[in-house]
Amino acid sequence: MQLGSLLIRESVVTSEQLEAALSEKDATGKRVGDILVDHGWATTADLARALAEQWNLEFIDVLSAEIQPEAVKLLSELVVRRYRALPIRYLSENVVLVAISDPTDILALDNVKLALGVDLKFCLADPHDLERSIDQIFSQRPSLRVVDEASLELEDEERLDLAVDESSPAVSLLNQVIIQAIQDRASDIHFEPEDRQMIVRVRVDGVTRELASVPKAMQQAVVSRLKVMAKLDIAERRLPQDGHASVRLSGDPVDLRVAVLPTTLGEKVVVRILQRSSTHVTLPELGMTAQAYDHFVHSIDQPFGCVIACGPTGAGKTTTLYAALDWLNSRERVINTVEDPVEYELAGVSQIQVNVKSGLTFARGLRTILRADPDVLLVGEIRDSETAQIAVQAAMTGHLVLTTVHAQTAAGAFARLQDMGLAPFMLANAINCVISQRLVRLLCDSCRRPAEASEAERAVLGLSPDTQATLYHPTGCRACGDSGYHGRTAIYEVLPVTSEVRKLIGQTTEEIQNEAVRAGMITLQQDGFRLALAGTTSLEEIRRVVGSGA
């Protein structure tokens, strides 16, 4: 029977109301059901019951129905919201009942079948009740909002041999994940396989949180899509692989570094997000103390020597060195960089992108730059002894070299370079300054909570027992995603290489650290305590980043 006839039979509408709705449909093109609801002649529940009978489907009161959590987990929140399809319960071991609101959207139903990975049976629900039920179920779970994936595009040079259908649910879900991760300022996306699903986590402000889940049936399609984007071998599942892709989000270029790791439950993929930008932080905006700032500026104002930024991956070292480049950038100087990747675009600076596959390594790029009459060099990272030798020799022969090294402390950078084969006398003659840094989360201004410092906290901060101090603590609100923090800033320790420090290079890291502290160096911990007392961050955050010593 026609929908209108069913509604008349059930005394939901009259013949006159149906005739009026049909006339309006001819004039406006709207659906009859929508017109009846708009005029108040029928409810959405009335329409759902009639549609269920018309399509020979069960009608379900989804708000009062018992919903099995294990059934809901079969679909990610993204798929549930996009197709308005909610798994209700298992009817048998391999059959799941799924509530929908529009049985006429055949394409959506086909995508749900593909995403679910098991047999299913559809039932009809009131669309408003279905929406409320979905909101209730996912209100306590990480939320992945639906955005327009069409704004994410592979750059032209990457549009090659796409092995995954562009319109498939896997591509749609992956695009959504990447877009939200970029919009949430995430630095990394982790696709982690589990027994029955793949968990997607993002690292925002240095801390990971769950973003979404991928049904097990879609896991391989998502991994294959990522491999295709990064030009990796989709058939190879036993060995680690790494590559990169370039995409554009609303016209802005973004680099994605993709690493694939085989695990016992399938392949894990980690995507590092690197947003290319023409804007950068200036030296005064770094937030150093006056003493650290003066030491750093003095070291980069020298005509030659090496300035090293150290710290773990993601500590903001490149941002600091680019601030130094901005300070030095002038028409009187020739500045060259060799990086992997080029993260910022600087006018007046010649920037080289490392490409290992084509043979352009840090060492080879650095050798070429030295033949091009540079005044200032930025070497993205010293990773091996060859690059270290060339960089330090360049610093000793009249060039100012800015670079990064992975070391825990400023004093520890000397031992790290010695491990790469550099002699202590070379380091003593070449290095002007070493700066160590970490990123700490900023307390959310909307919800930070003040409290008088406890006796134990005053002891940690080095304050006398009778000193009054107020510390702030995270609470969590909508503005900060319930984390209590929003954004990050850096803490620093700047170690100028004085004559006393030069004499100690080759000795233990502890001896160099003690001499630097004796000369007045502010350590990472002390700089963190400064920010905690200022209410910029919390003491808990300093402990997390610097360690239990805080």
Side-chain angles (χ1 to χ4, degrees), residues 124-157:
L124 261 291
D126 179 338
H128 290 169
D129 289 349
L130 183 59
E131 198 71 33
R132 285 177 58 194
S133 182
I134 292 171
D135 287 339
Q136 289 172 6
I137 289 170
F138 290 101
S139 61
Q140 301 304 316
R141 294 180 59 185
S143 176
L144 179 61
R145 62 182 178 273
V146 177
V147 290
D148 179 13
E149 76 274 9
S151 60
L152 182 71
E153 299 179 349
L154 285 168
E155 290 198 339
D156 290 341
E157 64 269 23

Side-chain angles (χ1 to χ4, degrees), residues 448-501:
R448 64 176 187 166
R449 172 177 52 85
E452 188 69 25
S454 67
E455 183 177 345
E457 288 171 333
R458 287 196 295 270
V460 168
L461 293 166
L463 303 176
S464 61
D466 57 346
T467 301
Q468 298 296 311
T470 299
L471 296 176
Y472 286 82
H473 304 274
T475 300
C477 64
R478 182 180 295 272
C480 61
D482 293 321
S483 69
Y485 300 91
H486 187 270
R488 289 193 290 179
T489 190
I491 55 175
Y492 302 92
E493 61 180 26
V494 178
L495 193 164
V497 181
T498 61
S499 57
E500 290 78 11
V501 170

Side-chain angles (χ1 to χ4, degrees), residues 21 64 232 241 317 333 346 353 363 381 390 395 408 410 421 485 528:
S64 61
L232 302 177
Q241 298 186 71
K317 303 184 294 294
R333 290 189 179 96
L346 274 179
Q353 168 81 51
E381 182 183 345
I390 299 170
Q408 292 298 321
Y485 300 91

Side-chain angles (χ1 to χ4, degrees), residues 392-407:
V392 169
Q393 287 172 1
M396 295 173 64
T397 55
H399 304 89
L400 179 64
V401 178
L402 311 180
T403 189
T404 70
V405 171
H406 285 294

